[in-house]
Amino acid sequence: MASDTKKGGGLWETIKTIVYALLIAGVFRTLFFQPFWIPSGSMKDTLLIGDFLFVNKMAYGYSYASCPSIIMPRFGINIDAQDICGIFDGDNTRLFGSEPERGDVAVFRHPSTGRDFIKRVIGLPGDTVQVRNGLLYINGEPVQVEEEGTFDEVAAPQGPQQLRPRCANGPVGPGGTCTKEKFVETLPNGVEHSILNITNQGSDNTAVYHVPEGHYFMMGDNRDNSSDSRVPNIAGGVGFVPLENFVGKANRVIFSSAGRSMLFFWTWRADRFFEKIE
């Protein structure tokens, strides 16, 4: 009998330990850092498919978007942050922290779908933003751009979704070298970062966007392969992003996997461990 009691107590202690661990992990993720896995190539070459990073939630303070979403399609689980913290949604304000700055690489909730996106902050509240012939204009002034060679990668499926890269050097066969033009763009506040160009397309020439108060204009660094604020969210793009939708700031890549899973350690990119995000 004593043995059965001991076994029962041990099982209960194990359950409590698991529950406490989950609670601590949930609090940590809600208040401090959220893991993020780069699923697409919209931020190349700043971020690559398979980069793993932690998003600093303390940078911008807290809103309903700070609550984690739990999405596990395989198990039929789809718990959105708004389901948990929707009571705090709607006033477009944040608690503590500071506002995003131009040039920040930030994770935010898509205004329509609620899914987490990662892009660069380009336009601030009150700005005008336009793209003419592939060149970015902020408040009517062109940003400084300098050529920096090319960004080359293998023309092969990438990441869990097995996405194939788009290439500036035309159709490239499997295993060939996929090339994109690379530039360094300098924003009005002095932030320098690389951008890529693939071809001339519709998004290289846009209307003038007037960024509303309390909203931000976001763009991917892989300019011809990014769904961002250049397209309204009602048309499948991102549109303007409300302040309350920001999750946090991305500062550093922890590690990076070139394979289909982060568990395939033999595909980890040795040169990207703790890489600073510029």
Side-chain angles (χ1 to χ4, degrees):
M1 181 67 71
S3 177
D4 291 341
T5 302
K6 186 174 182 180
K7 287 181 180 179
L11 176 61
W12 175 240
E13 288 301 318
T14 300
I15 293 174
K16 285 198 298 182
T17 299
I18 294 173
V19 171
Y20 290 154
L22 291 173
L23 287 174
I24 292 171
V27 171
F28 183 85
R29 182 174 175 179
T30 299
L31 297 180
F32 303 112
F33 297 96
Q34 176 175 315
F36 193 85
W37 181 265
I38 303 300
S40 74
S42 69
M43 283 295 292
K44 291 178 180 176
D45 66 330
T46 303
L47 295 172
L48 305 180
I49 294 176
D51 280 353
F52 179 82
L53 49 90
F54 282 100
V55 179
N56 181 4
K57 290 190 169 185
M58 296 177 286
Y60 304 138
Y62 306 97
S63 71
Y64 86 97
S66 301
C67 285
S69 296
I70 305 174
I71 303 172
M72 304 173 67
R74 181 179 299 180
F75 302 100
I77 299 175
N78 187 1
I79 302 175
D80 189 82
Q82 199 163 31
D83 297 331
I84 304 172
C85 297
I87 188 174
F88 303 111
D89 182 17
D91 59 0
N92 201 25
T93 60
R94 306 188 70 85
L95 182 65
F96 308 127
S98 59
E99 296 182 356
E101 296 182 3
R102 197 190 313 276
D104 286 357
V105 176
V107 171
F108 59 92
R109 285 173 50 82
H110 189 288
S112 294
T113 67
R115 294 294 186 259
D116 287 343
F117 271 46
I118 186 166
K119 306 288 180 185
R120 190 177 297 274
V121 178
I122 295 297
L124 305 179
D127 281 348
T128 63
V129 179
Q130 186 181 25
V131 181
R132 303 182 207 163
N133 297 318
L135 181 62
L136 177 64
Y137 286 73
I138 298 177
N139 296 322
E141 296 294 328
V143 301
Q144 179 183 336
V145 174
E146 296 181 1
E147 295 184 10
E148 198 183 58
T150 62
F151 170 69
D152 301 322
E153 57 185 335
V154 177
Q158 300 177 356
Q161 301 179 49
Q162 294 292 275
L163 301 175
R164 293 182 178 274
R166 293 177 60 198
C167 313
N169 54 332
V172 178
T177 300
C178 176
T179 297
K180 300 174 181 62
E181 297 176 312
K182 183 176 178 179
F183 301 86
V184 173
E185 181 177 82
T186 303
L187 299 174
N189 60 344
V191 173
E192 296 182 353
H193 64 98
S194 66
I195 59 173
L196 303 181
N197 179 62
I198 301 173
T199 185
N200 294 321
Q201 59 185 42
S203 58
D204 288 330
N205 290 279
T206 72
V208 177
Y209 300 96
H210 296 267
V211 185
E213 289 300 320
H215 292 72
Y216 295 81
F217 193 95
M218 314 294 291
M219 293 180 71
D221 291 346
N222 191 3
R223 292 286 164 80
D224 293 334
N225 198 49
S226 174
S227 174
D228 50 39
S229 293
R230 288 172 288 180
V231 178
N233 60 65
I234 58 174
V238 171
F240 302 122
V241 177
L243 174 62
E244 66 180 353
N245 280 40
F246 280 83
V247 175
K249 182 180 179 181
N251 294 316
R252 196 173 294 273
V253 174
I254 304 302
F255 71 90
S256 181
S257 172
R260 298 190 65 173
S261 170
M262 63 183 292
L263 300 179
F264 296 170
F265 62 88
W266 58 90
T267 67
W268 289 4
R269 301 179 177 105
D271 61 337
R272 293 189 68 77
F273 281 98
F274 302 105
E275 180 80 6
K276 185 178 181 181
I277 297 173
E278 302 287 355

